[in-house]
Amino acid sequence: MEHTANHLAALNFYIDGGVDEVIGSKPVDRFAESKAVPAEAARTSVMAPAGPPVSSQPSSQSSSRPSGQAQTEAEASARTLAAGASDLATLREVMMGFDLCPLKKTAANTVFGAGNPAARVMLIGEAPGADEDRQGKPFVGVSGQLLDRMLASIGLDRSSVYITNMLAWRPPGNRKPTLEETTMCLPFIRRHIELVAPKILVFVGGTSATTLLERRDGITRMRGRWFEYPSNGDQPMTIAAMPIFHPAYLLRNPSLKRQAWIDLLAIKARLQVMA
Ligand code: URA
């Protein structure tokens, strides 16, 4: 009985710390690993001068580099890969092979995008949550269900919009992505937008709005306003963009649904004018 209580306490401790996902079928003995570290570290430090240059080390060793340097390398790599992707299938493929984002190591899936890539409306959320990570699709959890209802209220559904996220990998415990993670993945989402080339961009929540519009205002100030997103693909263009409240935020603050509804109507009106 006491044994079970201890296990339950340990599990609760993990959950409180944000560990809400099991990503391996076999337990890993971290205590044994940490005992082995001093010997390994000693060996590495002796070998280091004769080893390959730091910049050619695989990403698993990037934590030993100054973070600025690792960041630049990952970002530069993402930029090269994204620029070389001439269609969505290739972009998905290069992102699935991109190992420099630490989030990818703990994520179960690369959540690329869903819906209709030929749609006039492209929605961009923040990052996959637990359900999205498990299923490999954006907005399939509780907030996705609310997003579907929001879209339905203006006559849209998943066949008439395209949906993706700023980040393709779930931050552990659903924490907010760090600036480094967002910056590193920026070339991928910018290319994603270029390839879909929608008529209207909807930034779902503050993360995609502030990052892609390069603004510091909060979502409360930005929502419901039209911005011009500069897309620099093969055919540079500006795309009409509106930030809206994230459905997860609306679930916590239902009184804001009225404002979200006003924003959705503005998107509907703009689509009608374009038709
Ligand atoms: N929240 C997001 O921003 N994106 C998802 O895909 C799910 C939840």
Side-chain angles (χ1 to χ4, degrees), residues 135-188:
Q135 295 186 39
K137 293 188 191 131
F139 282 103
V140 289
V142 189
S143 51
Q145 285 156 22
L146 176 54
L147 185 63
D148 283 342
R149 291 199 295 278
M150 290 163 70
L151 291 172
S153 72
I154 53 166
L156 298 174
D157 61 19
R158 300 230 173 186
S159 67
S160 49
V161 301
Y162 183 79
I163 307 182
T164 186
N165 282 305
M166 278 295 303
L167 293 158
W169 300 286
R170 180 196 183 211
N174 288 354
R175 65 161 168 76
K176 244 188 137 43
T178 65
L179 183 61
E180 287 187 340
E181 290 158 354
T182 317
T183 309
M184 180 189 300
C185 295
L186 205 45
F188 291 132

Side-chain angles (χ1 to χ4, degrees), residues 213-224:
L213 293 172
E214 296 179 13
R215 296 182 71 98
R216 299 172 70 127
D217 318 74
I219 184 68
T220 306
R221 287 180 70 98
M222 294 176 79
R223 60 139 279 267

Side-chain angles (χ1 to χ4, degrees), residues 6 30 38 52 63 89 104 115 156 160 191 224 242 253 255 261:
N6 285 347
R30 301 283 178 209
S63 58
K104 183 145 181 273
L156 298 174
S160 49
R191 187 69 186 139
M242 180 179 286
N253 302 277
S255 64
W261 168 236

